[in-house]
Amino acid sequence: MIIQGRYWNVNGMAIAIVASVTQIINEPFDWAAYIGGTSANLTEEETTDFARRQGAKLHEKDARHFFPELHEVPYRP
């Protein structure tokens, strides 16, 4: 499951912060968050997908700031 935390599109750049949540039988198992940027001519969905696939992994403290709803789920090492 992918959760979009933030998306910005400014000055020719699109930036997304996303959480990738591993689920087991529809329950969260663990997760990690990523930030990535593309050129602004890509869609929000394309930028979000890029961040998930090729973005930089956020430090756990930063990730938990953007995704407080996952506070009880272990962060993926």
Side-chain angles (χ1 to χ4, degrees), residues 6-57:
R6 299 291 188 280
Y7 173 80
W8 297 277
N9 189 325
V10 64
N11 296 332
M13 292 296 300
I15 302 165
I17 297 175
V18 300
S20 174
V21 183
T22 302
Q23 293 183 295
I24 297 179
I25 310 172
N26 295 325
E27 292 296 321
F29 175 73
D30 68 1
W31 68 288
Y34 303 91
I35 184 169
T38 65
S39 63
N41 62 347
L42 294 181
T43 67
E44 183 173 344
E45 184 178 284
E46 290 169 323
T47 300
T48 298
D49 187 54
F50 176 84
R52 177 190 60 83
R53 290 182 295 105
Q54 298 182 21
K57 185 175 179 187

Side-chain angles (χ1 to χ4, degrees), residues 55-72:
K57 185 175 179 187
L58 293 179
H59 183 276
E60 182 176 358
K61 183 179 176 182
D62 295 325
R64 291 196 181 278
H65 169 79
F66 287 106
F67 300 95
E69 67 273 23
L70 296 171
H71 71 278
E72 293 187 16

